[in-house]
Amino acid sequence: ASKFCFMHLEDYKNQKGNSKQPKLEVMDNWLLSKLSRLIAESTDSFNKYEFSRTKNNTENFFWHVFCDNYLEFAKDRLYNPDDRGKESRVSAQYALYTSLLSIIKLMSPFTPHITEEIYQLFFVKHEKAKSVHISEWPKPALSKPDKTAEEAGDIAVDIISAVRKYKSENNLSLKSEIKNLVIKTKHKGKLKSILEDIKAVTKSEEIVFEGNANIDCGEDVKIGIEI
């Protein structure tokens, strides 16, 4: 996961540990809002000597939020800046840089060697500290959680999970294209800003809000899939 991030951060200019936050896409705000909650909770846990709570929460965030979902959402913007826009790619790069650095800082007390290795592979060139173990404890990525982005992103994750399950149950490759993805929901307004992300991850040609939808994927959301 780190090497994937570094590959897409080679041309990223907004570093040096005091980078100015660019205009962020919704899915990047989704990630950074959840990261901010994690950092706040982990700081509180450490102050209470509840170390295992921080370890478990950070591992869960890394595997399920960052790797399983966010990296998949970010790929299209990272690989196709000409189609999705260069600003959109910079937003994803900011989220990658900020999140991965925070993750290795949170995990460094528990897995000191691999986190230091990752830090030395890339971050040491851009951060002030010579080691992750003498770097500053991470601060929340956003001044306050973005509830709207979290809600929209969570719905998108539920939709992606349902599509993945459908493809698996029907012996289809996850890369198999979908002609139409039908989404029936009262949260249409929240999803409009992330339709291109959903389309890219599900390999859908079109997303429509009318049609046959009989697959439940979360509260007030159903989808239909036309291959």
Side-chain angles (χ1 to χ4, degrees), residues 50-108:
E50 297 172 352
F51 306 124
S52 61
R53 183 180 167 206
T54 292
K55 180 177 180 291
N56 292 337
N57 288 349
T58 304
E59 285 180 336
N60 184 67
F61 177 88
F62 173 71
W63 287 114
H64 301 298
V65 178
F66 189 70
C67 292
D68 288 348
N69 291 302
Y70 178 74
L71 292 185
E72 294 302 314
F73 278 110
K75 279 180 181 177
D76 187 54
R77 289 186 285 130
L78 292 168
Y79 281 115
N80 302 302
D82 291 338
D83 295 331
R84 298 295 302 274
K86 292 182 179 179
E87 287 186 359
S88 180
R89 183 169 185 267
V90 170
S91 175
Q93 288 177 311
Y94 178 87
L96 286 181
Y97 187 97
T98 304
S99 299
L100 184 59
L101 180 59
S102 296
I103 289 167
I104 65 170
K105 286 183 177 184
L106 291 171
M107 285 302 295
S108 61

Side-chain angles (χ1 to χ4, degrees), residues 4-189:
F4 171 83
C5 294
F6 299 157
M7 178 175 67
H8 291 286
L9 289 171
E10 288 179 357
D11 62 338
Y12 181 52
K13 308 297 184 184
N14 214 13
Q15 300 163 346
K16 298 300 180 185
N18 57 355
S19 56
K20 183 180 178 182
Q21 189 180 93
K23 181 180 179 181
L24 295 171
E25 297 281 322
V26 172
M27 290 310 299
D28 302 327
N29 262 330
W30 170 80
L31 175 72
L32 295 175
S33 184
K34 288 183 178 291
L35 175 67
S36 296
R37 291 182 189 275
L38 172 67
I39 292 171
E41 290 170 1
S42 297
T43 304
D44 182 61
S45 297
F46 261 89
N47 287 333
K48 294 178 179 177
Y49 302 100
E50 297 172 352
F51 306 124
S52 61
R53 183 180 167 206
T54 292
K55 180 177 180 291
N56 292 337
N57 288 349
T58 304
E59 285 180 336
N60 184 67
F61 177 88
F62 173 71
W63 287 114
H64 301 298
V65 178
F66 189 70
C67 292
D68 288 348
N69 291 302
Y70 178 74
L71 292 185
E72 294 302 314
F73 278 110
K75 279 180 181 177
D76 187 54
R77 289 186 285 130
L78 292 168
Y79 281 115
N80 302 302
D82 291 338
D83 295 331
R84 298 295 302 274
K86 292 182 179 179
E87 287 186 359
S88 180
R89 183 169 185 267
V90 170
S91 175
Q93 288 177 311
Y94 178 87
L96 286 181
Y97 187 97
T98 304
S99 299
L100 184 59
L101 180 59
S102 296
I103 289 167
I104 65 170
K105 286 183 177 184
L106 291 171
M107 285 302 295
S108 61
F110 311 108
T111 53
H113 301 294
I114 186 62
T115 50
E116 180 67 8
E117 180 73 13
I118 292 169
Y119 187 87
Q120 294 298 326
L121 278 172
F122 181 79
F123 291 109
V124 71
K125 297 178 292 186
H126 307 292
E127 297 293 315
K128 296 175 183 177
K130 293 183 179 180
S131 166
V132 69
H133 300 298
I134 57 172
S135 64
E136 291 185 355
W137 185 249
K139 298 175 182 177
L142 301 179
S143 57
K144 61 180 181 179
D146 189 332
K147 186 178 179 182
T148 301
E150 286 196 46
E151 289 174 351
D154 288 344
I155 295 171
V157 167
D158 288 340
I159 291 171
I160 301 305
S161 298
V163 172
R164 286 172 174 168
K165 182 179 179 181
Y166 174 89
K167 288 183 176 181
S168 177
E169 290 176 345
N170 289 274
N171 297 316
L172 296 171
S173 166
L174 292 179
K175 294 182 180 180
S176 297
E177 292 190 357
I178 292 173
K179 185 177 181 181
N180 282 319
L181 176 63
V182 181
I183 301 176
K184 282 197 172 180
T185 178
K186 67 178 184 180
H187 305 295
K188 189 188 302 185

